Structures are given as C-alpha cells and as structure tokens.
Amino acid sequence: MDKTILEIPTELLQAAKLTPEAAKTELAIRLYQLHKLNDKQAGELAGDPKAIESLAWINRETGHFELDEFLDWASHDLKTPLNAVFGFTKVVIKGIDGPIKETQDSDLTTAFNSGQRMLSLLSNLVDIARLNNGVTLSRNDHNLANLITEIAERWKVQNPTKPLTLDIQIAAPTFNVDPQQMRLIINHLLTFAAIRITEGTVSLSTSDSDQGLNVTIQSAGKKPVDKMEMDSAMLGFITSSLIKLHGGKMNEPLETDDGLLLGFSMPH
C-alpha cells in the first residue's frame, strides 16, 4: 500500500497534548465516525486494529460515551430495523400474506402507528445530536413563498386528519436560506401544533416586512389530555435551533384555549 507523509507542526501536537501516534489514532477515529473509512481501514491508519473498537465513542478524558456523535453516525443503522418492522406489518395488514381477523387488523394497526411514533422520536433524537455537534447551513437564495407552500402541501397530504389552511403573503419572497433545514422547520412546527389537538384544524400564515419574514402556525380544536411533552420538547428545540442558525428568532409557544400558537421571524 502506498503511503503519504503528513507533516504536522510540533507546536500544534504539543498544544493538543498529542503524540504523533495518538494524532494518527484520533484522525482514524474521526474519519471512521464520518463514514470516510471502514473499521478495517481506520484500524490500519491508527496502527492498531482494536483502536476503533475501543475508542470510537468513548471520551478518553471523561470516560463518557459520546452519545451525540454516536446517534449522528448510527442513524441509518438505528432506523433500518424499525423500517423493516413497518414494512412487514403493512404487508400483513393489507392481507398480502393471507386474510386476518378484524381484531388482528386492529392490533397490528395500533402496533404500526406506535412504531411510526417511535421512528419520529428517534429521528428527532438524531436531529438533536446533529445540532449539538454543529450544523453547517447550505444557504442559497430561494423563493420562500413557493418553498413554504410546497412543504405545507406535502404535510397536508401526509396528515389528512388535521386539515391545514394556508395564507401565504410574502411581497418580497427571495430569502437566503438552507432549503433542507427550512423543510425541517416548517414540517416540525406544523407537527408541533397538530399534536396538541386530537381533532381540529391547523393554519399557517406568513407576512414580510423590511425586517424579514414572519410566520405564524396555530392549531385549534379539541385538546388532548396528554400534551405529548417529550415530542413537544424535541420539536421545540430542533426548530428554535435551526431558526437561530438562520439569524431568526422563535417565539415562545403559547397555549390557547383550543390549541397552540407558534411563530418565528427570520431576516432576508
């Protein structure tokens, strides 16, 4: 195998309190965590096949398991078994493997819906881990009126039991945003408002001014006994963090008599 010599100033190694061998190990671990190298390749780089196995997710100084980095790295592996459960459950519910009784259909549907919520919670945990590790926005100029409408219409199709009304009023729709993260913001805020009612409607309205964009999302209907505090806390953290990365500010969620009022502002 060909080799490349990497020169690192001694002063930098001393500042990091690393020997050359330890620096190789740290580099190997980081490249493994970023999926740039597999475990065998990372072990070769570290000069110790067991280095990755023993150090990849352990902070050697504190002895703590680096959960944020692990969740970020392992998100696909964590979600794959759940997706398999959903797929095969759906096959049985549809009767593809043979007829089932009404009680079986009801039980499987309950299991399927609970699994979907579990996947949503897991996805939220992964998003939180990524935010804790640091998210870099890929910003470009976009027509935000079109983007928000597209996101909301897709959410409406996926959530037919909570009718969504739109009032998009943006006179100067060009904003410098990361479209992928904007999708998360709008989707999560719509879901945040929707889970705080069992029956009813959700509305999304926008306006703009010289200062930027203003978005209001509100749910109205029958309020549940369970406020879904865990879901709410996760969604609130993710959306407020992403809005802040865009230079905006999320308003404090406001409980109303029949739902929840959410809002945020964002500069051009």
Side-chain angles (χ1 to χ4, degrees):
M1 181 183 293
D2 294 335
K3 294 187 177 181
T4 299
I5 296 176
L6 178 64
E7 294 184 353
I8 303 175
T10 302
E11 293 80 3
L12 295 181
L13 287 177
Q14 291 174 342
K17 298 180 180 179
L18 290 174
T19 65
E21 292 74 20
K24 284 174 56 180
T25 300
E26 294 291 340
L27 177 60
I29 290 171
R30 190 56 184 159
L31 291 175
Y32 173 70
Q33 291 174 331
L34 293 172
H35 295 280
K36 302 294 184 182
L37 297 177
N38 60 36
D39 55 349
K40 182 179 180 181
Q41 293 169 328
E44 290 176 354
L45 175 59
D48 179 2
K50 296 183 178 180
I52 302 305
E53 177 182 334
S54 60
L55 297 176
W57 311 115
I58 304 296
N59 185 312
R60 290 182 297 173
E61 293 184 2
T62 64
H64 293 168
F65 190 84
E66 298 290 359
L67 185 59
D68 286 342
E69 292 190 6
F70 175 77
L71 285 173
D72 190 357
W73 177 81
S75 60
H76 178 267
D77 292 335
L78 291 169
K79 293 177 183 178
T80 297
L82 276 176
N83 285 322
V85 171
F86 299 150
F88 286 111
T89 303
K90 203 68 175 177
V91 166
V92 177
I93 291 174
K94 289 182 176 180
I96 295 175
D97 288 343
I100 59 175
K101 297 178 181 179
E102 183 177 345
T103 52
Q104 292 173 319
D105 180 273
S106 177
D107 291 343
L108 286 169
T109 299
T110 299
F112 180 84
N113 291 337
S114 297
Q116 288 280 33
R117 179 166 181 246
M118 185 185 297
L119 182 60
S120 295
L121 292 173
L122 177 57
S123 296
N124 291 340
L125 277 176
V126 171
D127 286 341
I128 290 171
R130 288 174 177 165
L131 285 164
N132 286 341
N133 284 332
V135 171
T136 301
L137 299 181
S138 298
R139 300 177 72 154
N140 296 104
D141 287 344
H142 288 272
N143 185 314
L144 212 50
N146 292 343
L147 182 61
I148 291 176
T149 301
E150 173 199 330
I151 298 166
E153 291 293 344
R154 182 170 299 180
W155 187 92
K156 186 189 297 187
V157 172
Q158 295 171 343
N159 298 269
T161 61
K162 305 283 177 66
L164 172 65
T165 59
L166 299 178
D167 181 18
I168 309 296
Q169 303 289 335
I170 306 179
T174 301
F175 284 76
N176 189 254
V177 298
D178 182 326
Q180 181 179 351
Q181 305 305 335
M182 279 302 301
R183 286 187 172 87
L184 272 182
I185 292 170
I186 300 301
N187 265 314
H188 282 347
L189 287 178
L190 288 170
T191 300
F192 190 176
I195 62 174
R196 302 303 282 267
I197 56 172
T198 55
E199 299 173 4
T201 61
V202 179
S203 64
L204 184 156
S205 61
T206 66
S207 63
D208 64 333
S209 63
D210 293 340
Q211 286 72 41
L213 174 73
N214 295 299
V215 176
T216 300
I217 294 173
Q218 185 168 9
S219 57
K222 182 180 179 181
K223 299 183 76 170
V225 176
D226 180 5
K227 292 185 177 181
M228 310 275 285
E229 294 289 359
M230 181 165 56
D231 307 65
S232 299
M234 289 180 173
L235 294 173
F237 176 81
I238 294 167
T239 51
S240 62
S241 298
L242 291 175
I243 290 166
K244 186 176 181 180
L245 284 174
H246 280 86
K249 182 180 179 181
M250 181 171 167
N251 303 332
E252 283 294 324
L254 178 63
E255 289 278 353
T256 63
D257 291 338
D258 58 355
L260 187 69
L261 177 63
L262 303 167
F264 71 91
S265 58
M266 185 178 293
H268 282 278

